[in-house]
Amino acid sequence: MKVKVFDSGDEPYKKWLQNHPEGYVLNTRRSSDTTHVIFHRSGCSEITKIKTGEAGGFTKRKNIKVCAEETDPLVQWMVEHRPKAVAEWMRETPPDEKNDARPCGKCHYPLRGDEEKCPSCQREILWS
């Protein structure tokens, strides 16, 4: 499985979203030192609509998008490129109480910490 990183072009990113309606997106800061990594479904309004209306709002400013058809390659990318986000993800706090490394609350249902599968995508949840 392969990931596609969008860090300087909104049009290619929007085209990827159109071509992968069942895909997944990590929204993260440009710096590898960040803890900010939010998992989204490709159709989520949080990553498909620019709030300010200015061009470049998806991939040309403080955030980049990392996209894949499945979640496993995104997790592997996060492990390799966002180690502080991995530490935040594994912190013993329910995902819906985290500000940074977490599933999106709009396109993923808030998780309680005892589910075996994500209620949104039905993928197995591996709680550490």
Side-chain angles (χ1 to χ4, degrees):
M1 295 290 151
K2 191 170 136 175
V3 301
K4 178 73 177 158
V5 177
F6 296 96
D7 65 357
S8 63
D10 284 359
E11 291 308 314
Y13 167 67
K14 289 191 253 182
K15 187 171 186 100
W16 189 93
L17 292 174
Q18 289 175 340
N19 292 332
H20 300 89
E22 299 296 319
Y24 297 88
V25 178
L26 285 181
N27 186 36
T28 185
R29 303 282 191 253
R30 291 186 174 279
S31 169
S32 62
D33 206 31
T34 187
T35 60
H36 183 85
V37 176
I38 311 296
F39 275 83
H40 296 271
R41 299 299 301 262
S42 62
C44 179
S45 64
E46 291 293 306
I47 55 159
T48 59
K49 295 182 178 23
I50 298 176
K51 294 174 177 63
T52 64
E54 298 176 26
F58 293 117
T59 65
K60 292 185 177 183
R61 296 191 194 130
K62 64 181 178 179
N63 289 346
I64 64 170
K65 306 295 188 281
V66 184
C67 305
E69 292 182 6
E70 297 185 9
T71 56
D72 289 346
L74 294 176
V75 170
Q76 185 61 39
W77 187 92
M78 189 171 79
V79 167
E80 293 173 11
H81 300 277
R82 298 294 186 270
K84 287 187 176 181
V86 172
E88 173 68 8
W89 188 275
M90 296 178 73
R91 191 168 53 94
E92 299 233 1
T93 304
D96 59 336
E97 293 178 14
K98 293 181 183 181
N99 291 326
D100 284 338
R102 62 176 171 77
C104 170
K106 290 189 177 182
C107 61
H108 283 87
Y109 293 96
L111 304 175
R112 297 185 312 269
D114 60 349
E115 293 94 346
E116 293 180 15
K117 292 187 177 185
C118 173
S120 176
C121 65
Q122 295 302 306
R123 295 200 183 268
E124 183 178 348
I125 298 170
L126 301 175
W127 298 104
S128 297

